Amino acid sequence: MATFKRPKIALIGGGQIGGVLAQLCALRELGDVVMYDIVEDMPQGKCLDIAEASRVDRFDVEVKGTNDYADIEGADICIVTAGLPRKPGMSRDDLLTTNANIIKTVAENIKKYAPDSHVIVISNPLDAMVTLMREVTGFPHNRVYGQAGVLDSSRFASFIAWELGLSVKDINALVLGGHGDTMVPLVRYANVNGIPVMELLEQKYGDAAKAKEVMDAIVERTRKAGGEVVALLKKGSAFYSPASSAIAMAEAVLRDQKRVLPVCAWLNGEYGVKDMYLGVPAVLGANGVEKVIELSLNEEEQAMLDNSINAVKKLIEDMKRLGFL
């Protein structure tokens, strides 16, 4: 009789996002979880706390914390949150250098202990860190990708739902491009079960100009959403929504769901971009990024995407200048 083996999920980084990731993995019984962090005893404490709720939350998966990279050995998927947020007085180069050094170490250990794994990167600056992760691991591009678009698109959809007073479950909205101020929320494609959002906004306000003004504000709020949370929290940044977004990606891979999700994926000519990671809609399944879906963009949308592409290119150039790529 064959022995059943649950998938193994390695969480690299035991901070706020890591803790929510571990809990969600357990609640959805996606697989056995091992959480790594450099802080002694902290991941062990978080994971023990989660595991002790197993009877209440009715899950049988193992949830374990560690300070030893060797414990991630054989992981099927690694979700990376390691890195520091930008602090007052810290330059962009300082942040890039600090987090690139962290990601480089993480990547070396993933390559050593989990060479067949898929890697989902959440660490910022996202597009640069995904690029570095792929460079250091040498993994196939389809097995290294980043989480940003799922979160940005969820925020966009949520703001639309709140404005229209409708269930967010029926909102379809998509954000392309880099994870930052140059992201591209695609207004023309946003719909409520097929009904264009702009039509519903025009019905609500009885005026096309007012509808556009409202949508422009939603787009701007989407671009600044991470900063809005940071400002309200006063300390730290968003963690529930990034974790949920990464779990949607991990579940699509582990359960071969063939979901179409906005992913920071490697492009090989799509959208006029070659040899670069960028946020685009892609099919996520057992083979990771199985296909990049290329949308038809109008002139305005393409111009915004080009602007975002240039911002990501600048990040990559900075990484090269600092000696990481």
Side-chain angles (χ1 to χ4, degrees), residues 256-273:
D256 195 21
Q257 291 176 332
K258 313 294 188 193
R259 291 201 63 191
V260 177
L261 297 171
V263 178
C264 184
W266 183 256
L267 299 185
N268 190 29
E270 301 91 348
Y271 295 93
V273 178

Side-chain angles (χ1 to χ4, degrees), residues 77-78 80 110 117-121 133 137 139 143-146:
I77 196 161
C78 300
V80 180
I110 289 175
S117 65
H118 289 246
V119 186
I120 299 174
V121 179
M133 176 64 68
T137 60
F139 289 0
R143 286 203 278 121
V144 181
Y145 32 94

Side-chain angles (χ1 to χ4, degrees), residues 37 43 52 80 85 92 140 146 156 170 208 212 224 257 289 319:
D37 200 279
E52 287 172 350
V80 180
R92 181 175 164 181
F156 188 28
D170 296 324
K212 183 180 183 304
K224 306 286 188 183
Q257 291 176 332
V289 176
M319 292 282 286

Side-chain angles (χ1 to χ4, degrees), residues 32-111:
D32 291 330
V33 176
V34 57
M35 179 198 288
Y36 168 87
D37 200 279
I38 60 171
V39 179
E40 191 173 343
D41 293 336
M42 183 268 282
Q44 290 90 331
K46 281 195 176 184
C47 288
L48 179 61
D49 188 22
I50 292 167
E52 287 172 350
S54 59
R55 174 64 182 87
V56 181
D57 288 327
R58 304 183 71 78
F59 62 82
D60 286 311
V61 299
E62 182 181 355
V63 185
K64 171 186 173 183
T66 184
N67 303 119
D68 185 352
Y69 271 113
D71 287 329
I72 75 167
E73 186 168 12
D76 296 287
I77 196 161
C78 300
I79 307 178
V80 180
T81 64
L84 299 176
R86 188 164 171 175
K87 297 175 181 176
M90 180 183 274
S91 72
R92 181 175 164 181
D93 277 6
D94 289 339
L95 180 66
L96 261 181
T97 300
T98 299
N99 282 353
N101 278 316
I102 292 169
I103 292 300
K104 186 170 181 288
T105 300
V106 170
E108 288 166 348
N109 281 283
I110 289 175
K111 181 179 181 179

Side-chain angles (χ1 to χ4, degrees), residues 237-276:
S237 55
F239 53 98
Y240 289 113
S241 51
S244 288
S245 301
I247 289 297
M249 293 171 64
E251 187 171 26
V253 173
L254 292 169
R255 295 182 172 163
D256 195 21
Q257 291 176 332
K258 313 294 188 193
R259 291 201 63 191
V260 177
L261 297 171
V263 178
C264 184
W266 183 256
L267 299 185
N268 190 29
E270 301 91 348
Y271 295 93
V273 178
K274 195 166 175 63
D275 299 339
M276 192 178 93

